[in-house]
Amino acid sequence: MSNRILGLHHITAIANIAQRNHDFYTKVLGLRLVKKTVNFDDPGTYHFYYGNEEGTPGTILTFFPWEGIGQGTNGVGMATEIAYAVAGGSIDFWKERFKQFNIKTQEAVERFGEIYLPFTDPDGLNLALVVPKTTDNRKGWVTGEVAESVATKGFQGTTLSLKELEPTARVLTDILGYKQTGQEGNRYRFITDAIETASTIDILVDEKGKRGYNAAGTNHHIAFRVETDDVQMAFREKILSAGLQITPKIDRDYFFSLYFREPGGVLFEIATDNPGFTVDEPLIQLGSKLKLPKQYEPARAEIERVLPVLK
Ligand code: ZN
C-alpha cells in the first residue's frame, strides 16, 4: 500500500450547456461518461464524470454544467490547462478531428522535451494533448471513431497559474511529495515519483496576472489521489500542521474528499480511490442512468423534471 499522493485523482471544471459539454467529451474527445449524477450542493445541476472504462483516478474530468452561467476567465489562482496523455503518432489524427468538428487549436508547442497540442472545449476550457517522454500503459476508452491507438489515456498533468512560485511550490514539495524537475522561462515543472502517470504539475508564474473568474470554461478545483481514507486523514494532519485550513472528510459517494485552498488561491482536494464508480452500478452500465445520492432519492421526480434532457 502506498501512503503517498498518487498524482491527480480528478479535475473539476464548469460548463454552460449540458448537452454541448456531453457531446464534446463523449463524441469528439471519445471519453466515457462514467457517472451521471447531480451537484451534491445544488441538485438541480448535473455532475458529469468523464474518464476511461472504469473511471480510474487520474483519468477523471468532471463538470458542473450550469445552464446560462456567464463566461469565466482564466487567470492567476487557478488551474489553467489540463493535459491528456496520448500515444506517439496520434497527434495528426487529433489535428484532423479537431478541424472536422471546428474545435479551436493552437500551434503545437514543446515544453520540457514533450510536444503539446493545445485546444479548447466549446466553453473555452484550455486542454492539451501531450505525448509524454515516459511510458504510459493506460488504455483509453475506445469508441467507434476513436481507436485504442489514438485514444486519450488520462491526465499527464495540469498547469497552475500563480502570482508567486514559492508558497505553492512548498505545498507541492513539502506536503504532497512532488519534486521540482525543471524550469523553462516562467514555467516550473513538478513531478511525483509515487506514480508514473497523471504525475505532473506545472506552475506558470505571472507576477502581474489578474485573478481568474470562476465560471464557464474554467477549472473549479484539482484533486490529488490517495489510496485510502487512512492515508487521506494523515495528509489532513500534515496540512493542518502547516497552518492551512482544511475541511473535514466529506462523502462524495464515489470517493471521500478533503478540500483546502493552497496559498496561491487554487482549490485543492484530496480524494480516495475507494469506493469507486462501480459502487452503485455495474461497470458495463456506468453513466447510463441518473444516479442520486440517497438524500435526494425521495426528490428524484422533481430533480429529473428540472435537469435538462440529454439526447
Ligand atoms: Zn472534486
Side-chain angles (χ1 to χ4, degrees), residues 10-12 47 62 221-223 252 255 257 259 269 271:
H10 66 268
I11 295 176
T12 294
H47 194 181
T62 100
H221 63 265
I222 69 169
R252 292 299 185 196
F255 42 84
S257 296
Y259 301 87
E269 176 182 345

Side-chain angles (χ1 to χ4, degrees), residues 25-298:
Y25 286 97
T26 60
K27 292 184 183 147
V28 180
L29 213 52
L31 303 179
R32 185 178 194 194
L33 178 68
V34 293
K35 195 63 65 182
K36 183 166 57 175
T37 181
V38 293
N39 182 329
F40 288 12
D41 304 313
D42 175 13
T45 304
Y46 279 122
H47 194 181
F48 294 152
Y49 291 80
Y50 305 105
N52 67 358
E53 181 180 15
E54 298 168 332
T56 310
T59 75
I60 312 158
L61 179 57
T62 100
F63 285 90
F64 298 125
W66 271 300
E67 308 252 331
I69 192 175
Q71 189 61 40
T73 47
N74 279 299
V76 295
M78 269 185 181
T80 50
E81 188 190 82
I82 298 165
Y84 275 98
V86 289
S90 65
I91 294 287
D92 286 346
F93 165 85
W94 286 106
K95 277 186 181 166
E96 193 49 47
R97 187 165 178 78
F98 290 152
K99 203 194 281 173
Q100 187 191 335
F101 286 94
N102 286 316
I103 303 305
K104 259 193 239 158
T105 59
Q106 288 168 41
E107 288 296 309
V109 289
E110 189 178 330
R111 300 176 192 151
F112 305 103
E114 297 173 323
I115 302 295
Y116 287 74
L117 177 67
F119 63 101
T120 50
D121 86 353
D123 284 297
L125 187 73
N126 292 329
L127 302 151
L129 299 177
V130 56
V131 178
K133 280 191 287 194
T134 46
T135 1
D136 188 335
N137 293 320
R138 294 176 296 176
K139 232 184 98 178
W141 179 241
V142 174
T143 71
E145 293 179 16
V146 180
E148 191 183 334
S149 58
V150 295
T152 61
K153 295 165 181 284
F155 301 137
Q156 177 253 15
T158 187
T159 297
L160 310 179
S161 292
L162 299 168
K163 265 190 196 300
E164 279 183 277
L165 173 69
E166 282 308 321
T168 304
R170 271 201 298 274
V171 171
L172 289 175
T173 57
D174 299 359
I175 302 177
L176 303 177
Y178 284 71
K179 287 195 182 79
Q180 191 185 326
T181 59
Q183 179 194 353
E184 284 183 355
N186 61 340
R187 181 178 290 272
Y188 299 79
R189 173 148 293 190
F190 295 81
I191 292 181
T192 177
D193 60 8
I195 189 160
E196 285 173 332
T197 55
S199 57
T200 301
I201 303 279
D202 280 357
I203 293 181
L204 194 59
V205 177
D206 183 357
E207 284 166 17
K208 298 202 173 82
K210 276 175 63 177
R211 285 198 80 84
Y213 172 65
N214 206 208
T218 62
N219 289 303
H220 188 265
H221 63 265
I222 69 169
F224 294 91
R225 172 184 185 186
V226 288
E227 254 179 30
T228 66
D229 319 34
D230 288 347
V231 180
Q232 184 183 42
M233 292 317 270
F235 274 103
R236 187 172 191 276
E237 290 308 309
K238 250 179 142 173
I239 290 157
L240 279 173
S241 53
L244 296 167
Q245 294 190 347
I246 185 161
T247 66
K249 182 163 83 171
I250 299 170
D251 184 354
R252 292 299 185 196
D253 278 12
Y254 310 107
F255 42 84
F256 294 93
S257 296
L258 300 170
Y259 301 87
F260 69 104
R261 202 165 292 276
E262 59 81 26
V266 185
L267 186 59
F268 279 4
E269 176 182 345
I270 295 178
T272 60
D273 278 7
N274 57 299
F277 294 105
T278 52
V279 71
D280 61 357
E281 55 188 341
L283 183 61
I284 194 164
Q285 285 170 17
L286 287 185
S288 58
K289 295 207 177 72
L290 178 70
K291 290 293 173 184
L292 296 176
K294 53 180 178 306
Q295 67 270 29
Y296 295 134
E297 205 50 71

